[in-house]
Amino acid sequence: MTDRVYPSAKPLPNANAAATANPSFPATKAQLYGATRPTYRPQPHHRRRSRRGCCCTFFFWLTLTILVLLLLAGVAGTVFYLLYRPHRPSFTVTSLKLSYLNLTSSSTLNSRFDLAVSATNPNKNILFAYDPTAVTVLSGDVDIGDATVPAFRHPKKNTTLIKTSMVAAGHALSGDEASTLKGSMKSKKGLALKVNLETKVKATMGKLKTPKVGIRVSCDGIRVTLPAGKKPATASTSNAKCHVDVRFKIWKWTV
């Protein structure tokens, strides 16, 4: 009796396995780039978004705070103006007399001026308190006399007369200053003068007091002829005009 022989049950080879086991040569572009290209993984952006959101919120509140402060300052300024109606003090050159003005060959100056300035406070509710005031008389840009007026208080609705004598004794001038002054002294129209007053002032309104601020008064349009003898020469002040400038100091700058 013969034995039956059955065929062995071996699984058929997988087509993909065969393709992998026996790769085709040469390799295709897809096989080359697919083997070396890294897998793309998108990065999260949550931190950047949160930082941008914080910055936007910070600048929003900062801008809002500045606007509120400006609004409050505007309201306070309006209320202050309506209550007190502040006005700057005014100044007028009442008289100016020249006793002598001598310029030596060595460019040394000797002079004496007697000045009277009226200061008017037009405010009903504001009192001014002035520090010592520096007074200077100029011919062009040449300083030809100086003085200091003591501190004083300027009451409400009041006119105060300021008197002082400005003297230059042995004041040395530069060559350019001396030549400029000599030319002005020879003018037939007289010597053109300018008077400057510079000080600090504090305003008082009831119990409220402001910080001290700088103030400069510039008076021009003054002319005087040189005295012929011992009698002082009176300057013409009919065309004199005084300008008042308030000067604020911000750190190192004065505006």
Side-chain angles (χ1 to χ4, degrees), residues 129-134 148-152 198-202 212-213:
Y130 292 90
D131 282 358
T133 304
T148 301
V149 177
F152 66 96
E198 190 165 354
T199 184
K200 289 184 178 180
V201 61
K202 178 173 62 176
K212 292 181 180 181
V213 296

Side-chain angles (χ1 to χ4, degrees), residues 2-24:
T2 61
D3 295 331
R4 292 180 179 181
V5 179
Y6 296 94
S8 59
K10 292 183 178 180
L12 294 174
N14 192 354
N16 293 333
T20 305
N22 299 317
S24 60

